[in-house]
Amino acid sequence: MNLRLRTAERASRSAGKLLRDMLGSALGVRSKGLRSNLVTEADTASERLIREIIGADFPDDAILGEEGGTSGDARSGRWIVDPLDGTTNYAHGYRCFSVSIAYESGDGLQVGVVYDPMADELFSAAAGAGAHLNGAQLHASARSDLRDGLLVTGFPPIGADDDLENLRVMGRFMRRAQAIRRDGSAALDLCYVAAGRFEGFWEAGLHAWDVAAGALIVNEGGGRVSDYSGAPLRIDCGELIASNGLVHDAMLDVLRGEK
Ligand code: IPD
C-alpha cells in the first residue's frame, strides 16, 4: 500500500470539506502583490490543516506550500501543496476550485491527488500505478485531430506576464480547435485532460504547486505533459502543455506559431 497516497487523499478530502464549509463566509480576501493575485482565509486555513495531517504521518518530510513556503529539509523528497487552486473562483463563489497535493522524491513525482470538493471528485495517481477518479481507472481521450479537440487554458494574474502574447496564442488555438474553455483551476484542468474531458491544456506563468499533482495524473492517465518546446516537464519551469498525447505535436505547432 502506498502510505503517502493514502495520506494525500485523506488530507485533500479534509481540506476540501473545510473549503466547502467556508465557501461564501467572510473570507478576508487580500491580494498578494498584484491586485488580481488573491489569497483568502480559506487558503491559509486549508494549508494549515494539510500541513498538520502530513506532519503527523511523515514528520521528517519537507513541505512546499503556496501560502507557507518551504518547511523541512527537501533533499530526500518533498510534498508540494496548493491548498486552494482557483482562489479567484472561490472568492467569487464560482464553484470550480480544488486542493492539490503531490509528493516528489529524488526519482521524480511519486504521488498526486487533486480533490474537487463541490463535485466530490478525487483524482489520484501513483507513479507506475495508473490514474484514478474516485477509484475508477482514468484514460485520456482518443481524439487524434485537434479540430475535434476541446481545449482549456488559463492566464496568470493580470500584469504578471505577457498578456498580449497569451492572447495571440489563444487566438491561434481558437482557429485550430473545436472550442476553448478557461475554468480557473489549473490542477483541475490537468485532471480533466487525464479523464478525457479535455483533449489538451496549455498555460504559462504557473507554479510547481499548480501543476505537480495534475502532471503525474495526466502521465499516469496515458496523456503527455511537456514544456512549450516539447521537452519533458520540469514542474517549476512555469509553462506547460498537457494533452491526450495524440494532439500534442499539433498543439506544439500552434504554440510555435506554425499551422
Ligand atoms: C491559479 C489557478 C488558475 C491559473 C493561475 C493560477 P491559485 O492558482 O491555477 O487556473 O490560471 O495561473 O495562479 O492562485 O488559484 O492557486
Side-chain angles (χ1 to χ4, degrees):
M1 189 170 34
N2 190 323
L3 295 177
R4 285 191 172 83
L5 178 61
R6 296 285 91 86
T7 295
E9 289 177 349
R10 194 156 46 78
S12 63
R13 280 193 186 280
S14 301
K17 179 177 181 318
L18 178 148
L19 295 178
R20 212 167 47 225
D21 292 348
M22 287 182 79
L23 184 63
S25 61
L27 282 172
V29 182
R30 286 181 292 115
S31 52
K32 300 188 280 189
L34 294 164
R35 191 183 175 99
S36 59
N37 191 15
L38 303 181
V39 59
T40 71
E41 283 167 11
D43 295 71
T44 42
S46 173
E47 183 160 327
R48 207 177 309 123
L49 179 60
I50 293 166
R51 284 179 182 272
E52 274 168 24
I53 293 171
I54 292 174
D57 287 0
F58 298 98
D60 297 330
D61 285 359
I63 303 176
L64 165 66
E66 175 171 7
E67 311 308 337
T70 299
S71 58
D73 179 355
R75 269 175 302 189
S76 59
R78 60 174 179 166
W79 295 83
I80 304 164
V81 174
D82 191 339
L84 169 48
D85 186 55
T87 302
T88 305
N89 287 348
Y90 190 84
H92 287 265
Y94 179 61
R95 293 161 170 243
C96 175
F97 54 86
S98 61
V99 178
S100 174
I101 301 178
Y103 178 75
E104 178 188 53
S105 73
D107 295 328
L109 291 165
Q110 302 300 314
V111 161
V113 171
V114 175
Y115 182 54
D116 174 349
M118 305 314 292
D120 190 23
E121 288 193 322
L122 188 122
F123 300 87
S124 62
H132 296 85
L133 166 53
N134 292 344
Q137 181 106 32
L138 283 183
H139 302 284
S141 96
R143 289 191 181 85
S144 57
D145 191 327
L146 190 56
R147 290 172 299 182
D148 301 322
L150 180 60
L151 306 183
V152 67
T153 188
F155 299 107
I158 291 162
D161 209 338
D162 187 345
D163 302 341
L164 276 180
E165 179 55 19
N166 287 333
L167 288 175
R168 276 192 285 271
V169 169
M170 176 137 165
R172 292 203 294 273
F173 272 117
M174 286 179 84
R175 289 190 294 274
R176 287 293 308 278
Q178 190 172 69
I180 312 287
R181 300 287 178 260
R182 193 279 191 251
D183 273 354
S185 166
L188 277 183
D189 294 336
L190 285 161
C191 292
Y192 277 32
V193 172
R197 297 171 183 174
F198 292 133
E199 274 61 49
F201 167 54
W202 82 95
E203 182 165 349
L206 291 169
H207 299 278
W209 47 77
D210 298 314
V211 303
L216 182 65
I217 292 168
V218 171
N219 278 328
E220 290 293 328
R224 179 176 162 196
V225 186
S226 76
D227 66 16
Y228 279 11
S229 77
L233 184 76
R234 286 174 295 104
I235 55 172
D236 53 2
C237 81
E239 61 185 31
L240 162 152
I241 309 184
S243 78
N244 62 4
L246 304 171
V247 300
H248 208 91
D249 289 341
M251 288 184 70
L252 286 168
D253 288 347
V254 174
L255 275 165
R256 287 188 202 107
E258 296 164 12
K259 286 252 167 169

CSV table of all heavy atoms in Angstrom, one decimal, residues 43-96:
chain,number,residue,atom,x,y,z
A,43,ASP,N,-7.6,29.8,2.1
A,43,ASP,CA,-6.3,29.3,1.6
A,43,ASP,C,-5.4,28.9,2.8
A,43,ASP,O,-4.8,27.8,2.8
A,43,ASP,CB,-5.5,30.3,0.7
A,43,ASP,CG,-6.2,30.7,-0.6
A,43,ASP,OD1,-7.2,31.4,-0.5
A,43,ASP,OD2,-5.7,30.3,-1.6
A,44,THR,N,-5.3,29.9,3.7
A,44,THR,CA,-4.3,29.6,4.8
A,44,THR,C,-4.9,28.6,5.8
A,44,THR,O,-4.1,27.8,6.3
A,44,THR,CB,-4.0,31.0,5.6
A,44,THR,OG1,-5.3,31.7,5.7
A,44,THR,CG2,-3.1,31.8,4.8
A,45,ALA,N,-6.2,28.5,6.0
A,45,ALA,CA,-6.7,27.5,6.9
A,45,ALA,C,-6.6,26.1,6.3
A,45,ALA,O,-6.2,25.1,7.0
A,45,ALA,CB,-8.2,27.8,7.2
A,46,SER,N,-6.8,26.0,5.0
A,46,SER,CA,-6.6,24.8,4.3
A,46,SER,C,-5.2,24.3,4.3
A,46,SER,O,-4.9,23.1,4.6
A,46,SER,CB,-7.1,24.9,2.8
A,46,SER,OG,-6.8,23.8,2.1
A,47,GLU,N,-4.2,25.2,4.1
A,47,GLU,CA,-2.8,24.8,4.1
A,47,GLU,C,-2.4,24.4,5.5
A,47,GLU,O,-1.7,23.4,5.7
A,47,GLU,CB,-1.9,25.9,3.6
A,47,GLU,CG,-0.4,25.5,3.6
A,47,GLU,CD,0.4,26.3,2.7
A,47,GLU,OE1,-0.1,26.8,1.6
A,47,GLU,OE2,1.6,26.4,3.0
A,48,ARG,N,-2.9,25.1,6.6
A,48,ARG,CA,-2.6,24.7,8.0
A,48,ARG,C,-3.0,23.3,8.2
A,48,ARG,O,-2.3,22.4,8.8
A,48,ARG,CB,-3.2,25.7,8.9
A,48,ARG,CG,-2.5,25.8,10.2
A,48,ARG,CD,-3.2,26.9,11.1
A,48,ARG,NE,-3.5,28.1,10.5
A,48,ARG,CZ,-4.7,28.7,10.4
A,48,ARG,NH1,-5.7,28.1,10.9
A,48,ARG,NH2,-4.8,29.9,9.8
A,49,LEU,N,-4.2,22.9,7.8
A,49,LEU,CA,-4.8,21.6,8.0
A,49,LEU,C,-4.0,20.5,7.3
A,49,LEU,O,-3.7,19.5,7.9
A,49,LEU,CB,-6.3,21.6,7.6
A,49,LEU,CG,-7.0,20.3,7.7
A,49,LEU,CD1,-7.1,19.8,9.2
A,49,LEU,CD2,-8.5,20.4,7.2
A,50,ILE,N,-3.7,20.8,6.1
A,50,ILE,CA,-2.9,19.8,5.3
A,50,ILE,C,-1.5,19.6,5.9
A,50,ILE,O,-1.0,18.5,6.0
A,50,ILE,CB,-2.7,20.3,3.8
A,50,ILE,CG1,-4.1,20.3,3.1
A,50,ILE,CG2,-1.8,19.4,3.0
A,50,ILE,CD1,-4.2,21.1,1.8
A,51,ARG,N,-0.9,20.7,6.3
A,51,ARG,CA,0.4,20.5,7.0
A,51,ARG,C,0.3,19.7,8.3
A,51,ARG,O,1.2,18.9,8.6
A,51,ARG,CB,1.1,21.9,7.3
A,51,ARG,CG,1.6,22.6,6.1
A,51,ARG,CD,2.2,24.0,6.4
A,51,ARG,NE,2.7,24.7,5.3
A,51,ARG,CZ,4.0,24.6,4.8
A,51,ARG,NH1,4.8,23.8,5.4
A,51,ARG,NH2,4.3,25.2,3.7
A,52,GLU,N,-0.8,19.9,9.0
A,52,GLU,CA,-0.9,19.1,10.2
A,52,GLU,C,-1.1,17.6,9.9
A,52,GLU,O,-0.4,16.8,10.6
A,52,GLU,CB,-2.2,19.5,11.0
A,52,GLU,CG,-2.1,20.7,11.9
A,52,GLU,CD,-3.4,21.3,12.3
A,52,GLU,OE1,-4.4,20.6,12.3
A,52,GLU,OE2,-3.4,22.5,12.7
A,53,ILE,N,-1.9,17.3,8.9
A,53,ILE,CA,-2.1,15.9,8.6
A,53,ILE,C,-0.8,15.2,8.0
A,53,ILE,O,-0.4,14.1,8.5
A,53,ILE,CB,-3.3,15.8,7.6
A,53,ILE,CG1,-4.6,16.2,8.3
A,53,ILE,CG2,-3.4,14.3,7.0
A,53,ILE,CD1,-5.8,16.4,7.4
A,54,ILE,N,-0.2,15.9,7.1
A,54,ILE,CA,1.1,15.3,6.6
A,54,ILE,C,2.1,15.2,7.7
A,54,ILE,O,2.8,14.2,7.8
A,54,ILE,CB,1.6,16.2,5.4
A,54,ILE,CG1,0.7,16.1,4.2
A,54,ILE,CG2,3.0,15.7,5.0
A,54,ILE,CD1,1.0,17.0,3.0
A,55,GLY,N,2.3,16.3,8.5
A,55,GLY,CA,3.3,16.3,9.5
A,55,GLY,C,3.1,15.3,10.6
A,55,GLY,O,4.0,14.7,11.1
A,56,ALA,N,1.8,14.9,10.8
A,56,ALA,CA,1.5,13.8,11.8
A,56,ALA,C,2.0,12.5,11.3
A,56,ALA,O,2.5,11.6,12.0
A,56,ALA,CB,0.1,13.8,12.2
A,57,ASP,N,1.7,12.2,10.0
A,57,ASP,CA,2.1,10.9,9.4
A,57,ASP,C,3.6,10.8,9.0
A,57,ASP,O,4.2,9.8,9.1
A,57,ASP,CB,1.2,10.7,8.1
A,57,ASP,CG,-0.2,10.4,8.4
A,57,ASP,OD1,-0.5,10.3,9.6
A,57,ASP,OD2,-1.0,10.2,7.5
A,58,PHE,N,4.1,12.0,8.5
A,58,PHE,CA,5.5,11.9,8.0
A,58,PHE,C,6.3,13.2,8.5
A,58,PHE,O,6.5,14.1,7.8
A,58,PHE,CB,5.5,11.9,6.4
A,58,PHE,CG,4.8,10.7,5.9
A,58,PHE,CD1,3.5,10.8,5.4
A,58,PHE,CD2,5.5,9.5,5.8
A,58,PHE,CE1,2.9,9.7,4.9
A,58,PHE,CE2,4.9,8.4,5.2
A,58,PHE,CZ,3.6,8.5,4.8
A,59,PRO,N,6.6,13.1,9.8
A,59,PRO,CA,7.2,14.3,10.4
A,59,PRO,C,8.5,14.8,9.9
A,59,PRO,O,8.9,15.9,10.0
A,59,PRO,CB,7.3,13.9,11.9
A,59,PRO,CG,7.2,12.4,12.0
A,59,PRO,CD,6.4,12.0,10.7
A,60,ASP,N,9.2,13.9,9.2
A,60,ASP,CA,10.5,14.2,8.7
A,60,ASP,C,10.5,14.8,7.2
A,60,ASP,O,11.5,15.2,6.7
A,60,ASP,CB,11.5,13.0,8.7
A,60,ASP,CG,11.7,12.6,10.1
A,60,ASP,OD1,11.7,13.4,11.0
A,60,ASP,OD2,11.9,11.4,10.3
A,61,ASP,N,9.3,14.7,6.6
A,61,ASP,CA,9.2,15.1,5.2
A,61,ASP,C,9.2,16.7,5.1
A,61,ASP,O,8.6,17.3,5.9
A,61,ASP,CB,7.9,14.6,4.5
A,61,ASP,CG,8.0,13.1,4.2
A,61,ASP,OD1,9.1,12.5,4.5
A,61,ASP,OD2,7.1,12.6,3.7
A,62,ALA,N,9.7,17.2,4.0
A,62,ALA,CA,9.6,18.6,3.7
A,62,ALA,C,8.3,18.9,3.0
A,62,ALA,O,7.8,18.1,2.4
A,62,ALA,CB,10.8,19.0,2.8
A,63,ILE,N,7.8,20.2,3.2
A,63,ILE,CA,6.6,20.6,2.6
A,63,ILE,C,6.8,21.9,1.9
A,63,ILE,O,7.2,22.9,2.6
A,63,ILE,CB,5.4,20.7,3.6
A,63,ILE,CG1,5.2,19.3,4.3
A,63,ILE,CG2,4.1,21.1,2.9
A,63,ILE,CD1,4.2,19.4,5.4
A,64,LEU,N,6.4,22.0,0.6
A,64,LEU,CA,6.4,23.3,-0.1
A,64,LEU,C,4.9,23.6,-0.2
A,64,LEU,O,4.2,22.9,-0.9
A,64,LEU,CB,7.0,23.3,-1.4
A,64,LEU,CG,6.7,24.4,-2.4
A,64,LEU,CD1,7.3,25.8,-1.9
A,64,LEU,CD2,7.3,24.2,-3.8
A,65,GLY,N,4.4,24.7,0.4
A,65,GLY,CA,3.0,25.1,0.2
A,65,GLY,C,2.9,26.5,-0.4
A,65,GLY,O,3.8,27.3,-0.2
A,66,GLU,N,1.8,26.7,-1.2
A,66,GLU,CA,1.7,28.0,-1.9
A,66,GLU,C,1.7,29.2,-0.9
A,66,GLU,O,2.3,30.2,-1.2
A,66,GLU,CB,0.4,28.1,-2.7
A,66,GLU,CG,0.2,29.5,-3.3
A,66,GLU,CD,-0.9,29.6,-4.3
A,66,GLU,OE1,-1.7,28.6,-4.5
A,66,GLU,OE2,-1.0,30.7,-4.9
A,67,GLU,N,1.1,29.0,0.2
A,67,GLU,CA,1.0,30.2,1.1
A,67,GLU,C,2.1,30.2,2.2
A,67,GLU,O,2.5,31.2,2.6
A,67,GLU,CB,-0.4,30.2,1.8
A,67,GLU,CG,-1.6,30.0,0.9
A,67,GLU,CD,-1.6,31.0,-0.3
A,67,GLU,OE1,-0.9,32.1,-0.2
A,67,GLU,OE2,-2.2,30.7,-1.3
A,68,GLY,N,2.6,29.0,2.6
A,68,GLY,CA,3.6,29.0,3.7
A,68,GLY,C,5.0,28.7,3.3
A,68,GLY,O,5.9,28.7,4.2
A,69,GLY,N,5.3,28.6,2.0
A,69,GLY,CA,6.7,28.4,1.6
A,69,GLY,C,7.2,27.0,2.0
A,69,GLY,O,6.4,26.1,2.2
A,70,THR,N,8.5,26.8,2.1
A,70,THR,CA,9.1,25.5,2.3
A,70,THR,C,9.4,25.3,3.8
A,70,THR,O,10.0,26.2,4.5
A,70,THR,CB,10.4,25.3,1.5
A,70,THR,OG1,10.1,25.5,0.2
A,70,THR,CG2,11.0,24.0,1.8
A,71,SER,N,9.0,24.1,4.3
A,71,SER,CA,9.5,23.8,5.7
A,71,SER,C,10.2,22.4,5.6
A,71,SER,O,9.8,21.6,4.8
A,71,SER,CB,8.3,23.7,6.6
A,71,SER,OG,7.4,22.8,6.1
A,72,GLY,N,11.2,22.2,6.4
A,72,GLY,CA,11.8,20.9,6.4
A,72,GLY,C,13.0,20.9,5.4
A,72,GLY,O,13.2,21.8,4.7
A,73,ASP,N,13.6,19.7,5.4
A,73,ASP,CA,14.8,19.5,4.5
A,73,ASP,C,14.3,18.7,3.3
A,73,ASP,O,14.0,17.6,3.4
A,73,ASP,CB,15.9,18.7,5.3
A,73,ASP,CG,17.1,18.4,4.5
A,73,ASP,OD1,17.1,18.8,3.3
A,73,ASP,OD2,18.0,17.8,5.0
A,74,ALA,N,14.4,19.4,2.2
A,74,ALA,CA,13.8,18.8,0.9
A,74,ALA,C,14.8,17.9,0.2
A,74,ALA,O,14.4,17.5,-0.9
A,74,ALA,CB,13.3,20.0,0.0
A,75,ARG,N,16.0,17.7,0.7
A,75,ARG,CA,16.9,16.9,0.0
A,75,ARG,C,16.5,15.5,-0.4
A,75,ARG,O,16.8,15.0,-1.5
A,75,ARG,CB,18.3,16.8,0.7
A,75,ARG,CG,19.2,18.0,0.3
A,75,ARG,CD,20.4,18.0,1.1
A,75,ARG,NE,20.2,18.0,2.6
A,75,ARG,CZ,21.1,18.2,3.5
A,75,ARG,NH1,22.3,18.3,3.2
A,75,ARG,NH2,20.7,18.2,4.8
A,76,SER,N,15.7,14.9,0.5
A,76,SER,CA,15.3,13.5,0.1
A,76,SER,C,13.9,13.4,-0.5
A,76,SER,O,13.5,12.3,-0.8
A,76,SER,CB,15.4,12.6,1.4
A,76,SER,OG,14.5,13.2,2.4
A,77,GLY,N,13.2,14.5,-0.5
A,77,GLY,CA,11.9,14.5,-1.1
A,77,GLY,C,11.0,15.5,-0.5
A,77,GLY,O,11.4,16.1,0.6
A,78,ARG,N,9.9,15.9,-1.1
A,78,ARG,CA,9.1,17.0,-0.6
A,78,ARG,C,7.6,16.8,-1.0
A,78,ARG,O,7.4,16.3,-2.1
A,78,ARG,CB,9.6,18.3,-1.0
A,78,ARG,CG,9.6,18.5,-2.5
A,78,ARG,CD,10.0,20.0,-2.9
A,78,ARG,NE,10.0,20.0,-4.3
A,78,ARG,CZ,10.0,21.2,-5.0
A,78,ARG,NH1,10.1,22.3,-4.4
A,78,ARG,NH2,10.0,21.1,-6.3
A,79,TRP,N,6.7,17.3,-0.2
A,79,TRP,CA,5.3,17.4,-0.6
A,79,TRP,C,5.2,18.8,-1.2
A,79,TRP,O,5.8,19.8,-0.8
A,79,TRP,CB,4.5,17.4,0.7
A,79,TRP,CG,4.5,16.1,1.4
A,79,TRP,CD1,5.4,15.6,2.3
A,79,TRP,CD2,3.5,15.0,1.2
A,79,TRP,NE1,5.1,14.4,2.7
A,79,TRP,CE2,3.9,14.0,2.1
A,79,TRP,CE3,2.4,14.8,0.5
A,79,TRP,CZ2,3.2,12.8,2.2
A,79,TRP,CZ3,1.7,13.6,0.6
A,79,TRP,CH2,2.1,12.6,1.4
A,80,ILE,N,4.3,18.9,-2.2
A,80,ILE,CA,4.0,20.1,-2.9
A,80,ILE,C,2.5,20.4,-2.9
A,80,ILE,O,1.8,19.6,-3.4
A,80,ILE,CB,4.5,20.1,-4.4
A,80,ILE,CG1,6.0,19.7,-4.4
A,80,ILE,CG2,4.3,21.4,-5.1
A,80,ILE,CD1,6.5,19.2,-5.7
A,81,VAL,N,2.1,21.5,-2.2
A,81,VAL,CA,0.7,21.6,-1.8
A,81,VAL,C,0.2,22.9,-2.4
A,81,VAL,O,0.7,24.0,-2.1
A,81,VAL,CB,0.6,21.6,-0.3
A,81,VAL,CG1,-0.8,21.9,0.2
A,81,VAL,CG2,1.1,20.3,0.3
A,82,ASP,N,-0.9,22.9,-3.1
A,82,ASP,CA,-1.8,24.0,-3.3
A,82,ASP,C,-3.1,23.8,-2.5
A,82,ASP,O,-3.9,23.0,-2.9
A,82,ASP,CB,-2.1,24.2,-4.8
A,82,ASP,CG,-2.7,25.6,-5.1
A,82,ASP,OD1,-3.2,26.2,-4.1
A,82,ASP,OD2,-2.6,26.0,-6.2
A,83,PRO,N,-3.2,24.6,-1.4
A,83,PRO,CA,-4.4,24.3,-0.5
A,83,PRO,C,-5.7,24.8,-1.1
A,83,PRO,O,-6.7,24.3,-0.7
A,83,PRO,CB,-4.0,25.2,0.7
A,83,PRO,CG,-3.1,26.3,0.2
A,83,PRO,CD,-2.3,25.7,-0.9
A,84,LEU,N,-5.6,25.7,-2.1
A,84,LEU,CA,-6.9,26.1,-2.8
A,84,LEU,C,-6.4,26.6,-4.2
A,84,LEU,O,-5.9,27.7,-4.3
A,84,LEU,CB,-7.5,27.3,-2.0
A,84,LEU,CG,-8.7,28.1,-2.7
A,84,LEU,CD1,-9.7,27.1,-3.3
A,84,LEU,CD2,-9.3,29.0,-1.6
A,85,ASP,N,-6.6,25.7,-5.2
A,85,ASP,CA,-6.3,26.1,-6.5
A,85,ASP,C,-7.5,26.6,-7.2
A,85,ASP,O,-8.5,25.9,-7.3
A,85,ASP,CB,-5.7,24.9,-7.3
A,85,ASP,CG,-5.2,25.3,-8.7
A,85,ASP,OD1,-4.4,26.3,-8.7
A,85,ASP,OD2,-5.7,24.8,-9.7
A,86,GLY,N,-7.5,27.9,-7.6
A,86,GLY,CA,-8.7,28.5,-8.1
A,86,GLY,C,-9.2,29.5,-7.1
A,86,GLY,O,-10.4,29.7,-6.9
A,87,THR,N,-8.3,30.3,-6.4
A,87,THR,CA,-8.7,31.2,-5.4
A,87,THR,C,-9.6,32.3,-5.9
A,87,THR,O,-10.6,32.7,-5.2
A,87,THR,CB,-7.4,31.8,-4.8
A,87,THR,OG1,-6.6,30.8,-4.3
A,87,THR,CG2,-7.8,32.8,-3.6
A,88,THR,N,-9.4,32.8,-7.1
A,88,THR,CA,-10.3,33.8,-7.6
A,88,THR,C,-11.7,33.3,-7.8
A,88,THR,O,-12.7,34.0,-7.4
A,88,THR,CB,-9.8,34.3,-9.0
A,88,THR,OG1,-8.4,34.8,-8.8
A,88,THR,CG2,-10.6,35.5,-9.5
A,89,ASN,N,-11.9,32.1,-8.3
A,89,ASN,CA,-13.2,31.5,-8.4
A,89,ASN,C,-13.8,31.4,-7.0
A,89,ASN,O,-15.0,31.7,-6.8
A,89,ASN,CB,-13.1,30.1,-9.0
A,89,ASN,CG,-12.8,30.1,-10.5
A,89,ASN,OD1,-12.8,31.1,-11.1
A,89,ASN,ND2,-12.5,28.9,-11.0
A,90,TYR,N,-13.1,30.9,-6.1
A,90,TYR,CA,-13.6,30.7,-4.7
A,90,TYR,C,-14.1,32.0,-4.1
A,90,TYR,O,-15.1,32.1,-3.5
A,90,TYR,CB,-12.4,30.1,-3.9
A,90,TYR,CG,-12.9,29.6,-2.5
A,90,TYR,CD1,-13.4,28.3,-2.3
A,90,TYR,CD2,-12.7,30.4,-1.4
A,90,TYR,CE1,-13.8,27.9,-1.1
A,90,TYR,CE2,-13.2,30.0,-0.1
A,90,TYR,CZ,-13.7,28.7,0.0
A,90,TYR,OH,-14.1,28.3,1.2
A,91,ALA,N,-13.2,33.1,-4.3
A,91,ALA,CA,-13.6,34.4,-3.7
A,91,ALA,C,-14.9,34.9,-4.3
A,91,ALA,O,-15.6,35.7,-3.7
A,91,ALA,CB,-12.5,35.4,-3.9
A,92,HIS,N,-15.2,34.5,-5.5
A,92,HIS,CA,-16.5,34.9,-6.2
A,92,HIS,C,-17.6,33.9,-6.0
A,92,HIS,O,-18.7,34.1,-6.6
A,92,HIS,CB,-16.2,35.2,-7.6
A,92,HIS,CG,-15.4,36.4,-7.9
A,92,HIS,ND1,-15.9,37.7,-8.2
A,92,HIS,CD2,-14.1,36.6,-7.8
A,92,HIS,CE1,-15.0,38.6,-8.3
A,92,HIS,NE2,-13.8,38.0,-8.1
A,93,GLY,N,-17.4,32.8,-5.3
A,93,GLY,CA,-18.4,31.8,-5.2
A,93,GLY,C,-18.6,31.0,-6.5
A,93,GLY,O,-19.6,30.3,-6.6
A,94,TYR,N,-17.7,31.1,-7.4
A,94,TYR,CA,-17.7,30.3,-8.6
A,94,TYR,C,-17.2,28.9,-8.3
A,94,TYR,O,-16.0,28.8,-7.9
A,94,TYR,CB,-16.9,31.0,-9.7
A,94,TYR,CG,-16.9,30.2,-11.1
A,94,TYR,CD1,-18.1,30.0,-11.8
A,94,TYR,CD2,-15.7,29.8,-11.6
A,94,TYR,CE1,-18.0,29.3,-13.0
A,94,TYR,CE2,-15.6,29.2,-12.8
A,94,TYR,CZ,-16.8,28.9,-13.5
A,94,TYR,OH,-16.8,28.2,-14.7
A,95,ARG,N,-18.0,27.8,-8.4
A,95,ARG,CA,-17.7,26.6,-7.8
A,95,ARG,C,-16.7,25.7,-8.6
A,95,ARG,O,-17.0,24.5,-8.9
A,95,ARG,CB,-19.0,25.9,-7.5
A,95,ARG,CG,-19.8,26.6,-6.5
A,95,ARG,CD,-21.2,26.3,-6.5
A,95,ARG,NE,-21.8,26.9,-5.3
A,95,ARG,CZ,-22.4,26.2,-4.3
A,95,ARG,NH1,-22.5,24.9,-4.4
A,95,ARG,NH2,-22.9,26.8,-3.3
A,96,CYS,N,-15.6,26.3,-9.0
A,96,CYS,CA,-14.6,25.5,-9.7
A,96,CYS,C,-13.3,25.8,-9.0
A,96,CYS,O,-12.6,26.8,-9.2
A,96,CYS,CB,-14.5,25.9,-11.2
A,96,CYS,SG,-13.2,25.1,-12.1
